[in-house]
Amino acid sequence: AQSVTQLDSQVPVFEEAPVELRCNYSSSVSVYLFWYVQYPNQGLQLLLKYLSGSTLVKGINGFEAEFNKSQTSFHLRKPSVHISDTAEYFCAVSAAAAGNKLTFGGGTRVLVKP
Amino acid sequence: GAGVSQSPSNKVTEKGKDVELRCDPISGHTALYWYRQSLGQGLEFLIYFQGNSAPDKSGLPSDRFSAERTGGSVSTLTIQRTQQEDSAVYLCASSPTSAIQETQYFGPGTRLLVL
């Protein structure tokens, strides 16, 4: 079975500052990794995903994430945040052995302050 | 194009009543998923459909929960004899195929409150 840990439940950050959201996973098989964002009262929207190839993945809205197999991590970064980035961010994995479902981390709530 | 839609957006019910939640996936998407988002448990998988069949029902928390999908499109999640612990946001997602690397596209959810 796989699991996902998001180490920070809340991250306050000032506008135009960088932000990093940490995600670690455990799995005995190869996984695919995803970051989703949930704006208030909305569903989840895909930011980016890692399937294979280059370990640095670029997504929408200026976000990027780096897959590190040895550390089983997939941290999300943005060099300069905007007020509109205030949202909850979820890291998720899927694995062939676990069927087609996504296993999510607990989420990180980002609050961007002016 | 149209995204995943869910209805109702909010539902308040009394303990013991049955509720039905509806999901309309993106047209042409063969795979459909139900998840539950609650304060205590986070985001949990409930059930997955490929076409009209459900190869994975492992996340359904009890036999009070059931789901069906008809015509390879609309899905209904039914909760019988609702309990207060069923209060949560129920999210539906669809993807073009059932390949595990596919992006799942989520609807806005149905917020269920059981009094």
Side-chain angles (χ1 to χ4, degrees), chain A:
Chain A
Q2 63 269 13
S3 65
V4 180
T5 302
Q6 291 183 244
L7 296 164
D8 306 296
S9 59
Q10 293 188 65
V11 173
V13 58
F14 286 105
E15 194 174 16
E16 298 183 7
V19 70
E20 178 179 82
L21 308 184
R22 296 179 292 170
C23 172
N24 287 87
Y25 68 93
S26 66
S27 176
S28 57
V29 297
S30 295
V31 297
Y32 299 109
L33 294 152
F34 304 79
W35 275 100
Y36 280 86
V37 60
Q38 186 176 35
Y39 298 105
N41 299 313
Q42 294 186 28
L44 279 71
Q45 178 183 1
L46 181 72
L47 278 176
L48 48 80
K49 63 183 179 182
Y50 173 77
L51 304 181
S52 64
S54 172
T55 57
L56 183 63
V57 181
K58 293 191 182 298
I60 62 170
N61 301 341
F63 284 93
E64 63 181 32
E66 185 149 23
F67 171 60
N68 188 318
K69 187 173 182 179
S70 63
Q71 297 188 2
T72 60
S73 68
F74 190 53
H75 300 334
L76 181 71
R77 303 183 184 95
K78 185 169 183 178
S80 175
V81 296
H82 303 289
I83 295 289
S84 60
D85 292 321
T86 293
E88 190 155 19
Y89 294 79
F90 292 92
C91 182
V93 302
S94 66
N100 299 64
K101 60 179 175 284
L102 290 171
T103 300
F104 287 91
T108 298
R109 194 173 298 274
V110 172
L111 175 60
V112 181
K113 303 177 180 179

